[in-house]
Amino acid sequence: MVIKPAAQVEHIVQNKPKMNLIGLCPDPANLIDRQPGVQLARLKKLAYKSVLSSDLFDAEMLYELSKVAAYLQLKKISPEAALHDKILATAFFEPSTRTRLSFESAILRLGGKTISVAEAASTGVAKGEKLLDIGQMFNSYADMVVIRHTQQKAIQELSEYLRIPMINGGNGSDEHPTQALADWYALLKWKPGLAFDTLSEDRLHLGIVGTPGNMRTVKSFLILALLFKQNIEQITIVSEMADPLGDEVQSFCDSSPVPIYINNDLQSVLSTLDVIYMNSIAFLGDGYRTLGSRFKLNKGSTLKKDAVILHPLARKDELDVCLDHTQHNLYFNQADGAVFIRQALLLSIFDRLEHVLPDTLIE
């Protein structure tokens, strides 16, 4: 393994990455300027663990993962062969573009290999095969599996005989934990102070346009949001549904240290929001539905001057393309950073960070 000498690493730190995205592109160096070293012990907790829910992560772990992702994005470390002996199975029984391709890109950039299930119809499931039997086969075929499935219970069924780590790439309407990692990686690059104590006047008002009870990305985003409770003034959930939370998320919100409000009028609160997290597509068990169709953002929206918009994509007409070329657009950077945060996660789960991080960066 060839590791860049400390002097060369330091040189790269001082050079900002080339950004070819439109919209807002925060410099990943923002994340590591204050605390350059990586607290390796915090990431060792992820070694050979499955990632089924966002509640696996704490604030310190998420911050350290984000720093590793920043080093990767800045090309300060070169781990091209770090996972040369690993095979990742991406088992997607539900359509995906960004999640499947970003995981496959992440493992390939780390020198690993990938095998893929692109659709349920191409598997034994189409003939009635049980997921627990498929899980048993993955033990022989791969070293880790990323699964997406329309059914919430699929994760538990697949893990019945599974002995290799599994990452939940979205299970029904339940969770999508690595999407939430990408969301918060983008936000931490934008405002690194979120990971530290800040003055009360700097605390953020988060707006979530969606229904956490049946939108997995929204639910996982909300779980991670509360890790930074000291820097969040309040959270407003904007939904046209009478009950956008459901029993499980309601119980979670009732114990939240951050005030959480529900509003059905986006315009009444929009001008106060620092972050707007949008999603309109929900999987409701029998197919995809578009919820919140009357809540839309465009150039005429009364956004705060420095407000940023996040969206897990795919989008419909709730987020107008006219906002793509504005500084409110953090959603392209959010998608772009997903590869790097997933690389950091793969390196942590396979316990290979010490193979790629110079001694000067390990604390």
Side-chain angles (χ1 to χ4, degrees):
M1 180 66 61
V2 177
I3 298 177
K4 296 179 187 295
Q8 188 175 354
V9 170
E10 193 63 33
H11 172 73
I12 300 176
V13 171
Q14 297 170 0
N15 287 296
K16 292 187 177 182
K18 294 180 180 179
M19 299 293 188
N20 57 5
L21 295 174
I22 58 177
L24 184 62
C25 296
D27 189 347
N30 295 339
L31 253 177
I32 51 183
D33 284 344
R34 187 165 176 176
Q35 288 189 3
V38 176
Q39 299 281 338
L40 200 60
R42 291 174 176 168
L43 296 180
K44 285 282 188 180
K45 298 175 184 178
L46 290 170
Y48 303 103
K49 291 286 182 65
S50 290
V51 179
L52 307 184
S53 169
S54 296
D55 62 16
L56 174 67
F57 304 100
D58 57 37
E60 292 79 13
M61 188 185 295
L62 177 51
Y63 178 52
E64 297 303 322
L65 267 178
S66 296
K67 285 198 289 185
V68 174
Y71 283 123
L72 290 163
Q73 190 165 4
L74 287 163
K75 303 187 185 304
K76 292 177 59 179
I77 52 179
S78 300
E80 287 88 354
L83 300 183
H84 67 94
D85 56 341
K86 301 300 182 184
I87 296 174
L88 176 71
T90 53
F92 280 69
F93 298 87
E94 178 189 338
S96 171
T97 302
R98 280 154 293 277
T99 302
R100 182 169 67 87
L101 291 181
S102 67
F103 266 112
E104 293 180 356
S105 175
I107 188 77
L108 291 170
R109 290 174 189 229
L110 295 171
K113 303 172 184 66
T114 181
I115 56 177
S116 183
V117 173
E119 57 180 351
S122 65
T123 72
V125 169
K127 298 182 288 187
E129 185 176 14
K130 295 182 182 299
L131 283 174
L132 59 88
D133 289 341
I134 292 177
Q136 172 64 29
M137 293 303 98
F138 280 135
N139 294 324
S140 302
Y141 300 157
D143 301 290
M144 181 189 294
V145 58
V146 181
I147 180 172
R148 170 172 290 187
H149 202 283
T150 57
Q151 298 298 318
Q152 183 171 332
K153 64 181 181 179
I155 295 293
Q156 285 67 41
E157 291 181 5
L158 190 70
S159 63
E160 184 74 20
Y161 294 157
L162 195 68
R163 298 187 301 275
I164 60 176
M166 174 169 57
I167 295 177
N168 179 2
N171 61 322
S173 60
D174 187 34
E175 276 214 59
H176 194 347
T178 65
Q179 175 61 53
L181 292 181
D183 302 339
W184 283 93
Y185 176 48
L187 286 175
L188 287 170
K189 285 185 292 182
W190 173 60
K191 282 198 180 295
L194 283 167
F196 305 95
D197 291 328
T198 58
L199 298 175
S200 59
E201 58 265 26
D202 295 326
R203 297 169 75 196
L204 299 178
H205 183 182
L206 300 188
I208 295 176
V209 183
T211 56
N214 51 33
M215 288 180 176
R216 59 195 177 206
T217 59
V218 172
K219 179 181 177 182
S220 292
F221 176 82
L222 181 58
I223 290 172
L224 291 192
L226 297 187
L227 298 181
F228 305 100
K229 54 185 179 295
Q230 74 276 14
N231 288 317
I232 298 176
E233 185 71 32
Q234 70 179 67
I235 298 172
T236 299
I237 297 170
V238 181
S239 174
E240 61 188 12
M241 296 182 69
D243 177 17
L245 302 179
D247 293 340
E248 180 187 356
V249 180
Q250 181 66 64
S251 175
F252 170 74
C253 290
D254 287 344
S255 60
S256 168
V258 177
I260 298 177
Y261 302 99
I262 297 175
N263 195 313
N264 62 8
D265 182 4
L266 178 61
Q267 297 309 315
S268 69
V269 70
L270 185 58
S271 63
T272 71
L273 300 177
D274 300 293
V275 177
I276 303 102
Y277 190 94
M278 302 194 74
N279 195 5
S280 69
I281 301 174
F283 188 86
L284 300 182
D286 58 348
Y288 298 98
R289 306 279 181 84
T290 300
L291 303 176
S293 57
R294 66 189 178 92
F295 303 125
K296 300 180 181 181
L297 293 182
N298 53 46
K299 277 193 175 179
S301 299
T302 55
L303 298 166
K304 287 181 72 171
K305 178 182 177 182
D306 297 324
V308 295
I309 302 166
L310 292 173
H311 196 303
L313 305 173
R315 62 175 159 182
K316 300 187 82 173
D317 60 355
E318 76 278 3
L319 179 57
D320 198 298
V321 295
C322 67
L323 288 166
D324 292 352
H325 295 272
T326 72
Q327 292 299 294
H328 299 300
N329 170 9
L330 193 57
Y331 41 91
F332 284 173
N333 189 264
Q334 171 191 3
D336 180 60
V339 171
F340 304 104
I341 196 70
R342 286 173 172 138
Q343 279 186 290
L345 183 63
L346 294 177
L347 287 168
S348 298
I349 295 175
F350 283 125
D351 200 19
R352 293 288 173 87
L353 284 170
E354 288 170 295
H355 293 234
V356 301
L357 289 172
D359 291 342
T360 53
L361 294 180
I362 296 176
E363 295 184 0

